[in-house]
Amino acid sequence: MLGYSALDILNLALSLALVIFSAMVHEVAHGWVAYRLGDATAKRAGRLTLNPARHLDPFGSVVLPLLMAVAGWPVFAYAKPVPYNPNNLRNPRTDEVLVALAGPASNLLQALAGAAVYQLVLSRLLADGGSLVVGGASFWVLRALALYVYVNLVLMFFNLIPLPPLDGSKLVMPLLHGSARERYYHIQSYSLPILVAVLYLVPMVVHFDPLSLYLDATAGNLLELLLA
């Protein structure tokens, strides 16, 4: 790749792989919680699996994160949304919120697990008198763990933005009734491309990037805390 060193390319490939895996876990978490709360739609569709073929979206899982990584933006990706029928939930109004929060919660758990392993590996390395050599085995293990933590923190905080179709918007679901609720379901089916354009392309025009400021203040600061 023109202008990229071998280290840059390896970093990019590693980031994409971790984003795709973390996004799949995020979607499976939605389906699993929905299943536990009474809706088997995702299970019947074969989506309660980590098989990439069942989840990858050509644009959202590969092209979009690749473009963002090359552009130097916070890497975001999405897998095919896991289907579920809110009418099958035992308590639809409250259970929809739990289903929505399952995705960000899975990212938080992944970030905490990654940080714990990072600290364990780092402490063992220091105890053995080792040192980090760029390109060495220890370097790549710690690099992968740090990226895994960061990717999941970004996915968590991004999805908590209260705009459809992100998970944070589901927090308003208990407030919607009748036709307003139906319109919401209709809007969320095609609003993700619009949202991505607004959050990533508009800042290029107005030269103000609130998304990066938000992610730096949330995911960035929490990353420093977890890996300190």
Side-chain angles (χ1 to χ4, degrees):
M1 293 175 65
L2 186 62
Y4 287 85
S5 66
L7 187 61
D8 290 332
I9 294 173
L10 286 173
N11 271 322
L12 180 57
L14 181 59
S15 296
L16 291 176
L18 292 173
V19 166
I20 290 170
F21 174 78
S22 301
M24 287 194 304
V25 173
H26 178 108
E27 291 301 331
V28 171
H30 285 311
W32 183 80
V33 170
Y35 177 64
R36 299 291 296 178
L37 294 175
D39 176 43
T41 303
K43 182 176 178 62
R44 288 195 297 267
R47 297 295 303 280
L48 299 188
T49 174
L50 290 178
N51 179 359
R54 307 294 298 178
H55 298 286
L56 294 185
D57 178 273
F59 178 76
S61 304
V62 181
V63 176
L64 179 63
L66 180 60
L67 290 175
M68 291 179 173
V70 170
W73 296 337
V75 176
F76 169 71
Y78 59 89
K80 294 177 182 176
V82 168
Y84 86 101
N85 186 346
N87 295 322
N88 293 333
L89 299 173
R90 286 187 285 270
N91 300 289
R93 292 195 178 279
T94 56
D95 288 353
E96 276 195 270
V97 173
L98 296 177
V99 171
L101 291 178
S106 75
N107 294 127
L108 177 60
L109 291 176
Q110 289 181 81
L112 293 175
V117 177
Y118 177 95
Q119 296 291 359
L120 179 63
V121 172
L122 181 60
S123 62
R124 178 62 62 87
L125 178 67
L126 295 177
D128 292 341
S131 59
L132 284 179
V133 178
V134 175
S138 297
F139 170 85
W140 281 111
V141 170
L142 290 173
R143 176 65 176 168
L145 289 168
L147 278 172
Y148 183 58
V149 174
Y150 179 65
V151 160
N152 276 283
L153 292 176
V154 168
L155 287 175
M156 178 182 71
F157 283 110
F158 184 89
N159 277 282
L160 287 175
I161 295 175
L163 296 173
L166 300 180
D167 299 325
S169 67
K170 306 296 194 304
L171 300 179
V172 304
M173 288 301 295
L175 306 177
L176 300 179
H177 304 275
S179 60
R181 197 177 183 88
E182 292 302 319
R183 282 197 299 272
Y184 172 82
Y185 286 131
H186 179 67
I187 291 172
Q188 71 174 352
S189 64
Y190 59 83
S191 57
L192 184 55
I194 298 174
L195 176 67
V196 170
V198 170
L199 292 179
Y200 284 94
L201 298 182
V202 170
M204 296 176 62
V205 177
V206 301
H207 305 294
F208 176 68
D209 190 357
L211 178 60
S212 290
L213 293 175
Y214 164 68
L215 291 177
D216 286 343
T218 54
N221 284 333
L222 186 52
L223 177 71
E224 293 183 4
L225 179 64
L226 290 175
L227 302 187

